[in-house]
Amino acid sequence: MSNVEWPVPADPKDLGKPIEFGIIDSEGSSGHRSRNKNSLYEAGSLQAEMREAAVKAGVSNVEASRVREVLLRAFPESTTRAIKSAIADTVSVLMDVVTTLHRADEKQMEPVWSTVGELYIHASNDIAAALAVIAASSHSTDTSIARRIGEYSANLSFLSVIMSTLQKNDPAVSLQIGMAGLLHDCSLLLNQEWFQSHYSVNDETQRKKYRKHPIESADLLNGVPGIPKELLGLIMETHEQADGSGYPRGLVLGKVRQGSEILNAADAYLSLTQPVRGASYLPSDVIGYLCLQAAEGKFCREAIQLLTRSMSMYPVGSLVELNDQSKAVVIEGNFDAPMRPIVRMLHSSHEKHDLRIAPLSILKPLLPKSQSHERIPKSRFQEVLWRTDRESVIKTI
């Protein structure tokens, strides 16, 4: 894995402006390797600097639907269709099982394990295609809160399995992590009123109750045949942060189970890019933001490095402008060079370029037209933004 740094200048005059990342990998370009090995700034998986102090958010005239089309056509239709079907089946199974948890039937969990197993197979066979389908699903127009929670949980399960697979975990470990990602919010499906506007944003009682939902999810599954105790622990620890600022118990890094750090990082990424409700942010901004938060000790650094290896610094599905002013969509990351992914051009030929070897580089990310993502302004980079899609209806952290 490459050595990297995140030196980020903080000029007061830039506060409130969207940021632009210039990431430099260990193989060259500008930047330097640090001699200190004590923080992500000096010893992470990426090396970065801010290239421009005040850059406008490049809004493109490319339609978001066009970006998705070019993205998905980079893979065999049979592959993306199968992955979409597996995700849909996972959502359906989740919705069914939550309504029948009271039965405690041994066969009840068999379909759940089976669908997560399908996700694992797809993650093992084609990570790029799996990430492409996840990215495309961020544009769902379904307004049902229950359906959105279900889709979010399925995507969290899938992304967590992908990360676990990249970590070369035993398949049984990856499956358990995927199950925890799928089931960790099952209590929210039984408390959909938390997402309704009549719940006061200043109601501290409701906020505290919400923060106990991981325990409630584990309680719902406790004693159900096919659900091991280790899985319950992962569910309860998904929202625990490395510095102890998470919930429900405020556990610090080293006090949580193997796999909890993966779930925590994947959940933070998805809650910022595909929230159940509220603002969604540009994926490349989110990756940079999470790296900075890891440098501050909020996340396990290794888990964020793993997320970055999975997604790349410009995640699969990102619309980007290249240094020749052409536009392209990221279709695959290069695990050893996060700033140099594989892209597919948006003009008619749609040729593919591996930026590790092509005489091209990414100039900046773009916001496709008609896409709901926002840029993260520098003034908010010290704020806790993840998981506020749920807490915002109760009380923003």
Side-chain angles (χ1 to χ4, degrees), residues 195-236:
F195 294 87
Q196 304 305 316
S197 59
H198 67 270
Y199 270 76
S200 170
V201 296
N202 295 314
D203 192 334
E204 185 68 14
T205 300
Q206 291 300 326
R207 177 174 178 264
K208 289 180 178 178
K209 183 178 179 182
Y210 169 84
R211 283 188 155 224
K212 292 181 179 179
H213 82 263
I215 296 176
E216 184 176 346
S217 293
D219 285 345
L220 284 169
L221 296 163
N222 189 24
V224 174
I227 298 294
K229 294 293 184 182
E230 185 72 10
L231 177 54
L232 299 178
L234 288 173
I235 288 171
M236 288 192 288

Side-chain angles (χ1 to χ4, degrees), residues 30-253:
S30 50
H32 58 85
R33 297 190 188 182
S34 167
R35 299 168 187 167
N36 187 322
K37 302 297 181 183
N38 292 327
S39 77
L40 185 66
Y41 290 102
E42 293 102 10
S45 63
L46 301 168
Q47 186 178 53
E49 63 180 11
M50 302 284 274
R51 286 183 314 177
E52 301 176 32
V55 62
K56 294 181 180 179
V59 178
S60 171
N61 60 1
V62 179
E63 290 284 350
S65 59
R66 177 65 174 156
V67 176
R68 294 196 298 277
E69 177 189 357
V70 174
L71 168 65
L72 293 178
R73 285 178 62 185
F75 307 96
E77 183 181 357
S78 58
T79 298
T80 56
R81 188 190 312 117
I83 294 172
K84 289 178 183 178
S85 178
I87 292 176
D89 289 346
T90 303
V91 175
S92 179
V93 165
L94 172 65
M95 306 292 274
D96 289 343
V97 78
V98 168
T99 61
T100 59
L101 280 174
H102 63 280
R103 295 181 186 172
D105 185 347
E106 185 173 0
K107 295 183 179 180
Q108 185 178 347
M109 285 297 156
E110 289 179 1
V112 188
W113 284 103
S114 178
T115 55
V116 174
E118 285 294 314
L119 297 183
Y120 173 80
I121 292 172
H122 287 300
S124 301
N125 290 342
D126 196 332
I127 287 177
L131 291 173
V133 173
I134 291 175
S137 71
S138 68
H139 305 281
S140 172
T141 57
D142 195 313
T143 57
S144 162
I145 288 295
R147 187 73 186 178
R148 285 175 180 262
I149 294 172
E151 290 176 350
Y152 181 95
S153 298
N155 283 343
L156 175 59
S157 177
F158 206 2
L159 180 54
S160 300
V161 166
I162 289 170
M163 292 171 65
S164 182
T165 301
L166 277 176
Q167 199 175 45
K168 302 187 183 306
N169 285 327
D170 184 272
V173 172
S174 296
L175 284 173
Q176 189 152 271
I177 290 172
M179 280 288 285
L182 181 63
L183 298 171
H184 84 292
D185 272 350
C186 64
S187 63
L188 295 183
L189 288 167
L190 303 178
N191 289 282
Q192 294 177 42
E193 69 276 7
W194 282 338
F195 294 87
Q196 304 305 316
S197 59
H198 67 270
Y199 270 76
S200 170
V201 296
N202 295 314
D203 192 334
E204 185 68 14
T205 300
Q206 291 300 326
R207 177 174 178 264
K208 289 180 178 178
K209 183 178 179 182
Y210 169 84
R211 283 188 155 224
K212 292 181 179 179
H213 82 263
I215 296 176
E216 184 176 346
S217 293
D219 285 345
L220 284 169
L221 296 163
N222 189 24
V224 174
I227 298 294
K229 294 293 184 182
E230 185 72 10
L231 177 54
L232 299 178
L234 288 173
I235 288 171
M236 288 192 288
E237 294 169 0
T238 297
H239 305 314
E240 300 288 1
Q241 302 300 136
D243 65 348
S245 63
Y247 57 87
R249 293 192 171 95
L251 300 178
V252 298
L253 189 65

Side-chain angles (χ1 to χ4, degrees), residues 184-397:
H184 84 292
D185 272 350
C186 64
S187 63
L188 295 183
L189 288 167
L190 303 178
N191 289 282
Q192 294 177 42
E193 69 276 7
W194 282 338
F195 294 87
Q196 304 305 316
S197 59
H198 67 270
Y199 270 76
S200 170
V201 296
N202 295 314
D203 192 334
E204 185 68 14
T205 300
Q206 291 300 326
R207 177 174 178 264
K208 289 180 178 178
K209 183 178 179 182
Y210 169 84
R211 283 188 155 224
K212 292 181 179 179
H213 82 263
I215 296 176
E216 184 176 346
S217 293
D219 285 345
L220 284 169
L221 296 163
N222 189 24
V224 174
I227 298 294
K229 294 293 184 182
E230 185 72 10
L231 177 54
L232 299 178
L234 288 173
I235 288 171
M236 288 192 288
E237 294 169 0
T238 297
H239 305 314
E240 300 288 1
Q241 302 300 136
D243 65 348
S245 63
Y247 57 87
R249 293 192 171 95
L251 300 178
V252 298
L253 189 65
K255 298 295 183 181
V256 295
R257 292 165 176 78
Q258 178 191 5
S260 297
E261 301 97 332
I262 287 177
L263 288 161
N264 181 237
D267 178 63
Y269 175 81
L270 289 175
S271 73
L272 290 165
T273 58
Q274 300 183 17
V276 172
R277 60 177 297 167
S280 59
Y281 296 106
L282 194 67
S284 54
D285 280 7
V286 170
I287 289 289
Y289 166 77
L290 292 176
C291 286
L292 292 174
Q293 291 292 329
E296 296 294 327
K298 295 287 186 183
F299 292 90
C300 169
R301 288 178 293 174
E302 289 74 15
I304 296 300
Q305 290 165 14
L306 189 60
L307 175 69
T308 304
R309 288 188 66 214
S310 304
M311 305 299 298
S312 94
M313 281 306 300
Y314 293 97
V316 171
S318 295
L319 175 65
V320 295
E321 181 178 323
L322 303 180
N323 59 342
D324 64 351
Q325 279 69 59
S326 60
K327 295 179 177 64
V329 59
V330 177
I331 62 171
E332 186 174 351
N334 283 316
F335 301 142
D336 58 341
M339 268 303 293
R340 302 175 184 179
I342 298 170
V343 301
R344 195 175 192 218
M345 308 304 290
L346 286 181
H347 51 63
S348 57
S349 60
H350 301 313
E351 71 264 24
K352 185 168 70 172
H353 291 289
D354 186 337
L355 298 186
R356 289 177 302 182
I357 57 178
L360 294 168
S361 60
I362 294 176
L363 184 64
K364 62 183 177 181
L366 295 174
L367 282 170
K369 187 178 178 181
S370 306
Q371 184 166 306
S372 59
H373 286 143
E374 303 174 7
R375 301 300 304 271
I376 303 179
K378 269 194 271 185
S379 60
R380 303 202 68 188
F381 257 55
Q382 296 304 315
E383 296 181 28
V384 172
L385 301 176
W386 62 92
R387 292 293 291 192
T388 55
D389 58 327
R390 281 83 158 174
E391 283 205 352
S392 63
V393 296
I394 303 167
K395 181 177 180 180
T396 301
I397 297 176

